[in-house]
Amino acid sequence: MRVHLCLAHMSGNEMKFIQEAFDTNWVVPLGPNVNAFEADLEAFVEHDRHVVALASGTAALHLALVGLGVTCGDEVICQSMTFSASANPIVYQGATPVFVDSEPDTWNMDPTLLERAIRDRVAIMGRKPKAIIPVHLYGMPARMDDIMAIARHYAIPVVEDAAEGLGSRYCDHEVGTFGDYGIMSFNGNKMITTSGGGALICPSAEQKQRTMFLATQAREPVPYYLHKEIGYNYRMSNICAGIGRGQMTILRDHLAWHRHLCDRYVELLGDIDGITVHTNPDNRFESNFWLNTILVDPVKTGGVDHEQLRLALEAANIECRPLWKPMHTQPVFSGAPAYVNGVSEQLFGQGLCLPSGPCVTDDDVTRIASIIKGLVK
Ligand SMILES: *Cc1c(COP(=O)(O)O)cnc(C)c1O
């Protein structure tokens, strides 16, 4: 049987909430499951945040930028080492992404380079970037204390892309709750799924209201259809939210299993020359290890690189994937300004995502490790 990178895994409680939605005829993009799922998420992230369930993580990021007034001609700083969905909503708003490279410990936004980028953009453009989007890649928290200190110093709002970081903590603080906004994703392969969905973590009840208004076509509160602003159809369906409620009952177990698999990978691969398992840099970081990842240094492995390992594992019906290709190297963003230090390109040149999550067994990890050891002597 194929071992997948990260499959959805149901608690068994999902159908109960979906059935309830059918029984009460709440088969629409609002309703009791949506409200209850939002309440579950608010309780989970703590820090008095207000959560809006939406159609996707991408929609959440888009509404955060709309909420911050990002518009045509603006610049928005975005981590380069990420999935394209972190940057696409910047372009939806007619703004320009400015990419910032990573630092080698977390693989996330390099605070030093971030500050250099801000100063440089102010010098060139005569005004500040409108927002900063750091990412908690593969669940590893970014250096949020440094990033927030810089953002506050220059008074630039932060939107945390926590799509991969549900349950990750930094300094005992849930990721997604440091910045002005945080986004979550419940796509099929993330920490939990709603089949497709996302959420925006808002700083206040007013921002939540405003986000819900924009997400439901910006309809003014009068009996007829009155519109004074451009709206979006971005709300989560009550059926999807039912899946989400079921998934919340098993999230803690998922987190424990992702972290357990990280320990197993470290145990089995940790002492191979040239293989580095990505782990928490120090005890302030608590990654959810959404995907476990390794770097392969062919100089130390006797010439074996990450692509050879990927093909060998694929031949054994085990799915692995290269790391995200940095946005500043993507053809679609070739015109965007970028502040780079070589780290993300080196990561892309050496990294591999290994199967993770509740559908991966201890035996799978043992088999994966023995295939890797067979190649890297
Ligand atoms: C998955 C993902 C998104 C987008 O989430 P969707 O729910 O798929 O729209 C955004 N950023 C990152 C880093 C992601 O991994």
Side-chain angles (χ1 to χ4, degrees), residues 8 56-57 83 185-198:
S56 69
F83 177 46
S185 169
F186 316 116
N187 211 331
N189 57 354
K190 299 286 163 79
M191 277 312 281
I192 61 168
T193 183
T194 58
S195 72

Side-chain angles (χ1 to χ4, degrees), residues 9 12 26 28 36 41 53 58 62 97 120 152-154 194 197 205-206 250 292 300 332 356 358 364 372-373:
H9 174 266
W26 279 103
V28 280
L41 291 167
T58 310
H62 190 190
D120 199 49
R152 288 203 185 96
H153 181 259
Y154 292 93
T194 58
E206 294 79 65
I250 207 172
N292 284 283
K300 293 184 183 155
V332 69
S356 303
D364 292 334
I372 295 175
K373 282 176 178 162

